[in-house]
Amino acid sequence: NAGVMQNPRHLVRRRGQEARLRCSPMKGHSHVYWYRQLPEEGLKFMVYLQKENIIDESGMPKERFSAEFPKEGPSILRIQQVVRGDSAAYFCASSPSSVPNYGYTFGSGTRLTVV
Amino acid sequence: AQTVTQSQPEMSVQEAETVTLSCTYDTSESDYYLFWYKQPPSRQMILVIRQEAYKQQNATENRFSVNFQKAAKSFSLKISDSQLGDAAMYFCAYRSRAYGGSQGNLIFGKGTKLSVKP
């Protein structure tokens, strides 16, 4: 039973390019969360999605960032026109429901470097 | 808004010894969950232990145990018989017990880097 799969593991983008980060949740999990980890910091919540719905995007920057979780396929976090400050590790986590009995299952993250 | 504070940026322990990592939090809620996550150099976030605030008994998982002081809003992690593989960043996290929406998010501290000396 594969865990949460994130790809790519490392991503390098030049300033102004687009970054696409993918997350495949655990089998049977329909809830996905994206977190960002800046250097020397803990993880910060960005967005919470269920299939085809954004439930909470209160942690997402207002511009350039978007997320989706289509009916079929992985969840995508998209960052348009990347800047150096977007360099961070981006983590995806999934859970089978919104019932908060357990901590989520995290992926291994995507490290984005903007040059 | 809830906050989580880890006041020890770095800690060191001798192999086979015991170490305690500190965590305090602030919340106006009476029911919630607390977690400790381990992040080794591989970057994988691994759940170490969790505590439900309505349970008075401290959680224990093998060599890992917590000291949960609800009134003091303190949630420390004790690692007994430390092993080289315990070396990692450790994050304390808070989650509301409320269902769904933004209250289901994890709120993390900044972490404590634990080194284990052979």
Side-chain angles (χ1 to χ4, degrees):
Chain A
N1 186 14
V4 178
M5 304 301 293
Q6 288 190 250
N7 66 82
R9 185 129 170 86
H10 302 277
L11 182 62
V12 179
R13 284 288 178 265
R14 296 186 183 280
R15 281 178 292 172
Q17 291 184 320
E18 178 179 286
R20 280 187 170 231
L21 288 62
R22 295 175 190 78
C23 168
S24 296
M26 282 188 70
K27 187 176 181 180
H29 287 195
S30 59
H31 298 245
V32 166
Y33 301 78
W34 284 94
Y35 286 78
R36 176 165 66 175
Q37 184 179 29
L38 295 170
E40 311 300 324
E41 296 279 329
L43 280 68
K44 294 280 174 56
F45 167 75
M46 299 183 73
V47 62
Y48 163 36
L49 310 104
Q50 294 178 27
K51 285 284 188 180
E52 300 184 278
N53 286 303
I54 296 175
I55 307 302
D56 177 19
E57 55 183 348
S58 59
M60 287 273 273
K62 298 299 180 197
E63 297 178 350
R64 303 186 297 107
F65 284 72
S66 62
E68 63 177 7
F69 188 17
K71 187 177 180 180
E72 300 291 337
S75 176
I76 306 288
L77 178 67
R78 179 196 292 180
I79 311 172
Q80 295 178 301
Q81 300 176 325
V82 297
V83 301
R84 290 241 171 98
D86 297 334
S87 294
Y90 292 82
F91 288 88
C92 169
S94 72
S95 67
S97 75
S98 62
V99 177
N101 285 353
Y102 297 95
Y104 321 131
T105 302
F106 279 88
S108 296
T110 293
R111 180 171 295 283
L112 172 66
T113 302
V114 180
V115 297
Chain B
Q2 296 86 9
T3 58
V4 176
T5 302
Q6 293 179 250
S7 59
Q8 305 154 315
E10 296 187 24
M11 291 283 284
S12 181
V13 63
Q14 203 72 33
E15 194 176 7
E17 297 293 310
T18 296
V19 64
T20 298
L21 308 184
S22 301
C23 172
T24 58
Y25 58 94
D26 189 27
T27 183
S28 58
E29 298 178 330
S30 60
D31 206 3
Y32 45 87
Y33 295 89
L34 296 165
F35 304 88
W36 278 97
Y37 279 88
K38 172 184 177 181
Q39 186 180 45
S42 67
R43 226 170 48 218
Q44 178 76 46
M45 293 291 287
I46 302 166
L47 178 63
V48 174
I49 199 167
R50 73 181 184 107
Q51 175 79 40
E52 298 170 34
Y54 64 89
K55 290 187 177 179
Q56 293 186 341
Q57 187 173 5
N58 288 325
T60 299
E61 288 287 344
N62 300 314
R63 297 183 296 108
F64 298 87
S65 62
V66 298
N67 183 4
F68 174 47
Q69 301 289 329
K70 190 173 184 180
K73 296 180 182 175
S74 171
F75 183 60
S76 60
L77 175 68
K78 185 171 83 171
I79 306 174
S80 304
D81 186 24
S82 296
Q83 300 175 359
L84 295 177
D86 294 334
M89 285 290 291
Y90 285 83
F91 292 97
C92 179
Y94 171 103
R95 183 181 186 182
S96 171
R97 189 175 172 83
Y99 280 50
S102 62
Q103 298 179 50
N105 309 327
L106 286 170
I107 300 168
F108 286 87
K110 290 191 175 184
T112 297
K113 184 177 181 179
L114 178 65
S115 302
V116 180
K117 298 178 180 177

